[in-house]
């Protein structure tokens, strides 16, 4: 039973994870980095080939802009993967310095909305059913702009995008406490995202980026609440020590990842209706192994969460047995699930150790030798 559930897990990797990335201080270029979306998909296909559970790749527009999106989607399928969520980008054009959809100038707002609608066209062309909306919009100083007016502008843009979506499409609205805006961020927390999505309807849901909270936030509470409301559309998994560090999910706090997965499973969120996406940028780690390790970390947390003896837990909870209930949860968390996952991979025809198998595969040496010249992909910062 648990192996069947694990075999069915689907984790989406982001195209931008394979390009160069860094901080505002430095982007350290790496060898073999893709020069275009086609090569990014080839690298993402490696993560799926070795893990068996990463068959979709999120695109980011305009970083992944091509002339023919249907051809790109076909290329993905030829590689054994598929296009996943389409990520809009209204945070890197000079016009968006004071905001995009919440900008005080209606001309800029119209330009931003045009980009969002173009992303829905790309969903149509690639067969993607998910649009991810993250707005870096905000202000840096009190008085700079009207907080409520910016919410009105946001609501107007979201309604227009919502109207454009097809019956089988949805948007996931992403929140982030701060950065790049330092005083007000127009979608700073789950409550703001939830309220806007609630007003619009079922095709608008919230995406929880695990790096987008204040330190110490109880993310699993947010997950449980949104699941209960039917408004958890998915995750952008990564991990952090201090801010939006975009480190490998589970690397900083595997226990928190386990608690999140426990709530996902307990709240009926373990299925295709909740997108398990990675949103990480590895600045010093090799790109493909960093994604493979991240997928494995989510898999391990999921396996542990599936091991929780829910009957014993419920009985202990009903009895008010604090230590007993906690012990049931910790028993699962303290179980080494790596042998179970190794068996599962062998049953799937995969090497039980994806990291070692990838390292032996010679793929990195191949792309490092072949991908010489051209402009390495990055995130255009
Ligand atoms: C950045 C943002 C946000 C978004 C991602 C893709 O912080 O997480 O999901 O870019 O646009 O990481
Ligand atoms: Mn994100």
């Amino acid at each position: 039973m648990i192996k069947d559930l694990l075999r069915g897990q689907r984790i989406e990797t982001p195209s931008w994870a394979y390009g160069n990335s860094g901080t505002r201080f430095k982007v350290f270029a790496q060898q073999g980095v893709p020069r275009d979306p086609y090569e990014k998909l080839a690298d993402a296909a490696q993560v799926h080939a070795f893990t068996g559970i990463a068959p979709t790749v999120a695109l980011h527009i305009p970083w992944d802009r091509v002339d023919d999106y249907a051809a790109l989607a076909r290329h993905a399928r030829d590689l054994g993967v598929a296009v996943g969520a389409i990520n809009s980008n209204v945070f890197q054009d000079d016009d968006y310095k004071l905001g995009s959809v919440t900008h005080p100038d209606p001309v800029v707002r119209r330009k931003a909305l045009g980009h969002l609608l173009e992303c829905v066209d790309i969903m149509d062309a690639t067969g993607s059913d998910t649009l991810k909306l993250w707005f870096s919009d905000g202000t840096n100083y009190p008085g700079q702009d009207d907080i409520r007016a910016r919410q009105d502008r946001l609501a107007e843009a979201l309604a227009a995008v919502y109207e454009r979506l097809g019956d089988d499409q949805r948007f996931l609205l992403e929140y982030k406490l701060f950065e790049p805006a330092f005083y007000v961020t127009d979608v700073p927390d789950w409550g703001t995202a939830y309220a806007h999505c609630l007003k619009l309807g079922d095709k608008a849901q919230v995406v929880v980026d695990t790096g987008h909270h204040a330190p110490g936030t109880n993310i699993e509470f947010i997950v449980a609440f949104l699941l209960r409301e039917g408004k958890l559309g998915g995750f952008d998994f990564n991990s952090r020590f201090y801010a939006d560090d975009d480190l490998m999910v589970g690397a900083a706090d595997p226990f928190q990842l386990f608690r999140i997965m426990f709530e996902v499973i307990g709240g009926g969120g373990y299925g295709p209706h909740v997108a398990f996406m990675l949103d990480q940028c590895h600045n010093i780690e090799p790109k493909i192994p960093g994604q493979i390790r991240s997928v494995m970390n989510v898999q391990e947390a999921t396996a542990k969460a599936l091991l929780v003896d829910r009957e014993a837990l419920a009985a202990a909870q009903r009895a008010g047995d604090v230590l007993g209930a906690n012990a049931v949860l910790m028993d699962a968390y303290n179980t080494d699930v790596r042998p179970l996952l190794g068996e599962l991979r062998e049953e799937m025809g995969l090497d039980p150790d994806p990291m070692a198998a990838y390292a032996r595969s010679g793929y990195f040496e191949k792309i490092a030798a072949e991908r010489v010249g051209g402009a390495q992909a990055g995130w255009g910062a």
Side-chain angles (χ1 to χ4, degrees):
M1 177 56 178
I2 288 185
K3 278 188 195 170
D4 292 337
L5 289 169
L6 289 167
R7 189 177 289 110
Q9 184 160 33
R10 294 291 176 267
I11 296 169
E12 180 164 306
T13 70
S15 69
W16 56 98
Y18 303 99
N20 285 320
S21 64
T23 68
R24 58 181 169 170
F25 301 104
K26 170 69 180 158
V27 171
F28 293 102
Q30 296 195 23
Q31 275 190 308
V33 158
R35 282 82 51 92
D36 59 42
Y38 291 83
E39 293 182 344
K40 292 183 194 175
L41 287 168
D43 290 2
Q46 289 295 305
V47 177
H48 181 49
F50 287 97
T51 63
I53 59 166
T56 56
V57 188
L59 297 184
H60 210 294
I61 308 301
W63 300 341
D64 294 322
R65 182 161 279 146
V66 292
D67 294 338
D68 183 340
Y69 287 101
L72 184 65
R74 276 195 303 277
H75 179 74
R77 284 194 293 275
D78 292 347
L79 290 165
V81 292
V83 170
I86 302 298
N87 286 258
S88 60
N89 180 336
V90 284
F91 53 87
Q92 284 185 318
D93 187 302
D94 285 338
D95 288 341
Y96 299 142
K97 186 164 66 177
L98 300 181
S100 62
V101 294
T102 65
H103 195 287
D105 180 348
V107 172
V108 175
R109 297 202 296 269
R110 258 196 307 280
K111 173 179 178 174
L113 178 56
H115 169 74
L116 303 183
L117 298 178
E118 177 200 1
C119 288
V120 184
D121 295 341
I122 294 168
M123 291 165 71
D124 292 343
T126 56
S128 169
D129 62 9
T130 300
L131 170 65
K132 188 141 130 263
L133 300 173
W134 173 65
F135 299 104
S136 63
D137 294 40
T139 58
N140 282 1
Y141 293 100
Q144 178 185 333
D145 198 352
D146 182 311
I147 292 174
R148 281 174 290 108
R150 290 178 77 95
Q151 290 299 312
D152 293 343
R153 299 166 198 161
L154 173 64
E156 188 180 334
L158 292 176
V161 175
Y162 190 88
E163 184 65 31
R164 170 66 181 79
L165 291 173
D167 293 342
D168 299 328
Q169 295 173 326
R170 61 180 183 162
F171 73 60
L172 305 185
L173 179 56
E174 183 170 0
Y175 59 90
K176 182 178 181 184
L177 179 64
F178 84 108
E179 189 192 38
F182 295 120
Y183 170 57
V184 166
T185 295
D186 294 317
V187 189
D189 57 28
W190 72 269
T192 309
Y194 171 69
H196 279 285
C197 290
L198 192 61
K199 277 206 183 85
L200 289 167
D202 293 343
K203 296 187 299 187
Q205 295 178 308
V206 179
V207 57
V208 175
D209 184 304
T210 50
H212 285 190
H213 305 81
T217 300
N218 184 332
I219 297 176
E220 59 269 32
F221 172 83
I222 299 169
V223 170
F225 185 92
L226 289 174
L227 272 172
R228 183 172 178 277
E229 298 292 324
K231 279 294 181 187
L232 179 68
F235 289 93
D236 267 1
F237 282 121
N238 48 58
S239 71
R240 40 80 60 81
F241 286 99
Y242 301 102
D244 184 22
D245 308 337
D246 275 347
L247 298 172
M248 292 186 294
V249 54
D253 186 346
F255 185 38
Q256 177 192 58
L257 183 58
F258 161 76
R259 299 194 313 265
I260 289 172
M261 293 316 301
F262 171 73
E263 293 303 336
V264 168
I265 291 159
Y270 188 67
H273 57 299
V274 176
F276 279 44
M277 301 177 283
L278 301 183
D279 174 17
Q280 314 173 140
C281 283
H282 296 143
N283 304 334
I284 58 174
E285 313 88 316
K287 303 292 175 178
I288 296 170
Q291 292 303 307
I292 292 174
R293 171 59 68 196
S294 299
V295 169
M296 291 170 67
N297 286 351
V298 177
Q299 212 174 12
E300 284 184 34
T302 304
K304 293 184 175 193
L306 288 169
L307 282 175
V308 173
D309 181 339
R310 298 268 175 174
E311 275 179 34
L313 184 65
Q317 289 172 342
R318 278 195 301 273
D321 178 359
V322 173
L323 296 181
N326 176 254
V328 169
L329 203 70
M330 294 315 290
D331 281 351
Y333 176 64
N334 290 324
T335 304
D336 182 357
V337 293
R338 290 174 297 180
L340 169 76
L341 291 169
E343 280 169 32
L344 170 66
R345 291 185 189 110
E346 284 180 326
E347 291 167 14
M348 293 170 70
L350 300 172
D351 189 294
D353 180 349
M355 292 294 281
Y358 171 76
R360 282 196 310 271
S361 71
Y363 183 81
F364 172 70
E365 290 76 11
K366 176 172 170 289
I367 59 176
E370 284 174 2
R371 294 177 184 170
V372 176
Q376 288 193 331
W379 23 255

